[in-house]
C-alpha cells in the first residue's frame, strides 16, 4: 500500500491486539513514508484506546456485537509501546458506525468486511471533514463475519 501510494497522507488501521497497526508503523518507518497511521478501536472495547492515550495497561470489559476482531480486554505492553510512539491518533467507532461501513463496502465495492475489517473506513467516514483534500486509505483487514450477523446488517438497517 505504502509503496503503491507514495503520496498517501493518512492510513486507518484497525487495532485488535495491535499486530496489524504495529506492522503498518514499521513499514511506514522502514520506507521513510510520510503517512500518518491512525489506529481504530471499538468504542465498546476501550482497553487499547485508553492504554494508547494514557500509557496505563488496564483490563476493561468488552460489549461490541460487530467489532469482535477489536474486542480485546487487556492490551499487550509491547504493542502499546509501539502504538504510542507511532500512531498519529486513535479513533473509536461504534457498532452502528461499523454496520454502516459494512453496508457501504458491500454496496459500493461488492466486498465483504467483518466489523474490524470495516473499522478503518468507519473511522475515515467519522473524520471526513478534517480529511478534505488529503489522500486517505483504510485497511480492509478481514471478511470473517457470521452469515446471520452479516444478513442482519445488510437487511435490517
Amino acid at each position: 500500500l505504502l509503496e503503491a501510494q507514495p503520496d498517501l497522507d493518512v492510513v486507518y488501521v484497525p487495532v485488535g491486539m495491535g499486530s496489524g497497526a504495529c506492522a503498518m508503523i514499521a513499514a511506514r518507518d522502514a520506507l521513510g513514508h510520510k503517512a500518518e497511521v491512525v489506529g481504530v478501536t471499538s468504542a465498546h472495547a476501550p482497553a487499547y484506546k485508553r492504554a494508547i492515550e494514557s500509557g496505563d495497561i488496564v483490563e476493561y470489559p468488552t460489549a461490541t456485537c460487530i467489532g469482535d476482531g477489536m474486542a480485546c480486554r487487556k492490551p499487550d505492553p509491547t504493542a502499546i509501546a509501539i502504538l504510542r510512539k507511532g500512531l498519529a491518533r486513535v479513533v473509536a467507532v461504534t457498532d452502528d458506525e461499523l454496520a454502516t461501513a459494512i453496508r457501504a463496502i458491500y454496496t459500493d465495492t461488492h466486498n465483504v468486511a467483518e466489523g474490524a475489517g470495516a473499522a478503518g473506513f468507519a473511522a475515515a467516514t467519522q473524520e471526513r471533514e478534517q480529511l478534505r483534500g488529503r489522500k486517505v486509505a483504510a485497511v480492509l483487514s478481514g471478511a470473517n463475519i457470521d452469515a446471520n450477523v452479516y444478513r442482519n446488517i445488510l437487511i435490517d438497517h
Side-chain angles (χ1 to χ4, degrees):
L1 171 65
L2 298 175
E3 287 180 332
Q5 299 297 322
D7 58 342
L8 185 65
D9 295 310
V10 183
V11 60
Y12 288 85
V13 183
V15 177
M17 285 300 289
S19 61
C22 288
M24 182 62 75
I25 291 165
R28 180 208 50 206
D29 294 350
L31 294 169
H33 202 286
K34 66 176 178 68
E36 293 177 2
V37 179
V38 178
V40 185
T41 63
S42 169
H44 312 289
Y48 261 81
K49 185 173 190 321
R50 290 179 181 177
I52 293 165
E53 292 175 348
S54 72
D56 297 328
I57 297 177
V58 178
E59 188 169 336
Y60 290 95
T62 66
T64 179
C65 296
I66 299 174
D68 50 337
M70 300 179 293
C72 297
R73 290 193 258 345
K74 187 171 183 185
D76 177 76
T78 304
I80 291 301
I82 295 167
L83 297 171
R84 283 180 54 84
K85 183 178 176 185
L87 291 177
R89 65 187 169 283
V90 182
V91 177
V93 294
T94 66
D95 279 0
D96 287 343
E97 289 171 312
L98 291 175
T100 298
I102 289 168
R103 279 191 299 275
I105 290 167
Y106 176 75
T107 301
D108 297 342
T109 71
H110 303 287
N111 283 289
V112 175
E114 65 183 64
F121 182 69
T125 301
Q126 185 186 110
E127 295 192 335
R128 67 186 167 276
E129 293 303 320
Q130 69 193 61
L131 296 172
R132 290 196 189 281
R134 302 182 80 193
K135 191 168 190 176
V136 179
V139 173
L140 196 158
S141 61
N144 184 22
I145 188 168
D146 179 82
N148 288 327
V149 170
Y150 193 57
R151 180 192 61 76
N152 290 338
I153 289 170
L154 294 178
I155 295 171
D156 299 334
H157 61 281

